[in-house]
Amino acid sequence: MLLNLFNRRQTVIAPYTGYRNAEKLHVSARVLRQRPEREAAKNSFSKFLHLLSLYASDEVPHAKVTLHGYGQEVTKAANDEGFVHFEIDLDDIPLPLHAEWESVTLSLSAKDHVPVPAPVLVPGTDGRLGIISDIDDTIIETGATDFIRNWRRVLVQLPDDRIMVPGAADMYRTLGAASKPDMDAPLTRPFFYVSSSPWNLFGFLTRFMEINNIPPGVLMLRDWDFSPKTLGNSSHGEHKRRQIESILEFYPDMRFVLIGDYTQGDAEAFAQIVKNDSARIAAVFIRTAEGEKLRGIKAVAADAIRDAGVPIWTGPAFDEGKDFLAGINLASPQEVGEIVETMKETDETA
């Protein structure tokens, strides 16, 4: 546990996005001591302190949290790091036609604690296509791959200051709709965001996505500690692969589009997923840096995806393909292949 840098904190539940199928519900949260919200940070130093406070979390271990929802009341104790994970059997609750958000409530035993809602994503039965996406350098420019050049972005930029990857919002909303979307239309397909970022940044990332009109979805982040297991580059791809496999297992009758970038082992992780079950993957998108192409083990991974018959697109900016994606129904493998091949041809001739 990191040092407690602040005083006068109150115990709260920080709910994370849950998800369910007809038979099982997954909901996670964290019990923390937090100080009351202050005015928004305005200068670089105050922004740095705010970002530092996100990492300096003060966990409440072993607190008892009660979940109310779907006709059930279940109480579990948080672990040593304040995390509580609910995996609850459901009585074959039907799925909606389109992807929808439902909710449960979480509460502590303290009398003065106000229950908090936790959103639950429910994929629909139409089309059975979902999107699994990375976050860092896929939808948000982190600058982490060149810290010396981009230190300000990493250390002192809040969600309002961060830069979105070009074309991400348009492309993601197009992928998320079964018919031609506009920026205010409800989405009909579920999104799952898999990242190596720590759970401490859950609020930061959801705020960024809201500001930039990135479709909301389930965020599957990581419990960090200062060890080679979580800080080493080799662990990022493995973490994402395991998370993706858990989603595929939880929704066995769905196919997915995988979206990532050329850093942190995304291509290699996606190639392994495709090798295990190529029929479950409708398409793969790998974002590269401007002027960069996949090389070495990443190029080998891309070739393996392509050889397995899964369409793959690579390029530096998603807006290069948004005109082709807009209005296209990605309900069948053939339609996915047609659009991705069109995007690939355009990228190669640009």
Side-chain angles (χ1 to χ4, degrees):
M1 183 177 69
L2 295 176
L3 292 176
N4 179 8
L5 301 181
F6 305 98
N7 297 318
R8 296 185 304 171
R9 296 193 170 192
Q10 57 187 2
T11 300
V12 300
I13 297 176
Y16 304 131
T17 42
Y19 55 101
R20 75 165 179 91
N21 56 28
E23 293 83 27
K24 192 172 287 290
L25 167 70
H26 284 259
V27 174
S28 295
R30 200 175 192 187
V31 186
L32 303 167
R33 294 186 186 92
Q34 292 182 345
R35 61 174 178 168
E37 292 187 7
R38 301 184 306 171
E39 292 185 8
K42 297 179 180 180
N43 56 53
S44 294
F45 183 68
S46 61
K47 290 179 180 181
F48 170 75
L49 290 179
H50 176 76
L51 290 171
L52 181 62
S53 72
L54 298 181
Y55 289 95
S57 58
D58 186 11
E59 305 89 8
V60 180
H62 315 305
K64 291 185 178 181
V65 179
T66 300
L67 180 149
H68 301 264
Y70 302 104
Q72 301 193 47
E73 179 178 310
V74 180
T75 299
K76 290 194 67 175
N79 64 16
D80 292 343
E81 295 295 322
F83 290 106
V84 58
H85 304 286
F86 292 93
E87 296 184 8
I88 299 174
D89 292 329
L90 302 176
D91 188 18
D92 196 20
I93 299 178
L95 301 178
L97 176 62
H98 303 307
E100 292 183 1
W101 287 96
E102 299 172 347
S103 68
V104 296
T105 58
L106 303 174
S107 61
L108 295 170
S109 58
K111 293 182 179 180
D112 58 346
H113 181 263
V114 178
V116 297
V120 176
L121 178 62
V122 190
T125 58
D126 60 329
R128 307 305 292 160
L129 182 71
I131 295 89
I132 302 175
S133 174
D134 180 39
I135 297 177
D136 300 331
D137 294 307
T138 301
I139 62 174
I140 179 174
E141 298 276 18
T142 68
T145 56
D146 189 351
F147 180 80
I148 300 300
R149 181 179 179 181
N150 298 293
W151 66 269
R152 180 177 294 275
R153 184 186 305 171
V154 176
L155 296 179
V156 299
Q157 287 189 346
L158 298 182
D160 307 65
D161 307 316
R162 287 296 185 93
I163 301 172
M164 182 177 62
V165 170
D170 285 349
M171 194 190 83
Y172 278 52
R173 294 196 67 84
T174 300
L175 285 171
S179 59
K180 186 174 181 179
D182 60 57
M183 298 306 281
D184 297 320
L187 300 178
T188 58
R189 295 183 177 129
F191 280 79
F192 298 83
Y193 296 96
V194 177
S195 173
S196 293
S197 293
W199 283 108
N200 304 61
L201 295 183
F202 178 85
F204 180 103
L205 294 172
T206 53
R207 174 59 180 160
F208 173 86
M209 294 166 68
E210 180 183 0
I211 292 171
N212 290 282
N213 212 12
I214 297 292
V218 175
L219 268 66
M220 306 179 77
L221 307 181
R222 195 175 189 184
D223 184 13
W224 268 30
D225 56 36
F226 290 97
S227 70
K229 182 179 180 180
T230 56
L231 296 179
N233 288 333
S234 62
S235 69
H236 295 298
E238 180 66 18
H239 164 75
K240 294 175 185 177
R241 183 184 65 79
R242 290 195 303 268
Q243 295 284 39
I244 294 170
E245 288 176 343
S246 72
I247 298 170
L248 295 177
E249 182 180 358
F250 197 71
Y251 297 106
D253 57 344
M254 290 185 66
R255 296 164 55 248
F256 288 90
V257 174
L258 304 182
I259 310 175
D261 73 291
Y262 76 112
T263 66
Q264 296 188 342
D266 287 2
E268 300 94 309
F270 293 174
Q272 186 61 51
I273 295 293
V274 168
K275 179 181 178 181
N276 293 342
D277 194 352
S278 62
R280 300 289 306 283
I281 307 305
V284 171
F285 294 82
I286 301 290
R287 189 224 172 191
T288 63
E290 189 71 39
E292 287 283 342
K293 292 185 177 181
L294 298 182
R295 295 183 174 85
I297 190 173
K298 299 181 186 302
V300 172
D303 288 340
I305 293 171
R306 192 174 295 108
D307 293 343
V310 175
I312 180 172
W313 174 87
T314 63
F318 293 128
D319 55 2
E320 296 173 359
K322 67 181 181 181
D323 292 338
F324 300 97
L325 279 173
I328 292 182
N329 186 349
L330 303 182
S332 71
Q334 179 180 0
E335 290 166 330
V336 174
E338 289 174 355
I339 185 58
V340 175
E341 286 302 315
T342 304
M343 291 174 62
K344 178 181 176 183
E345 292 171 3
T346 302
D347 184 54
E348 291 176 347
T349 57

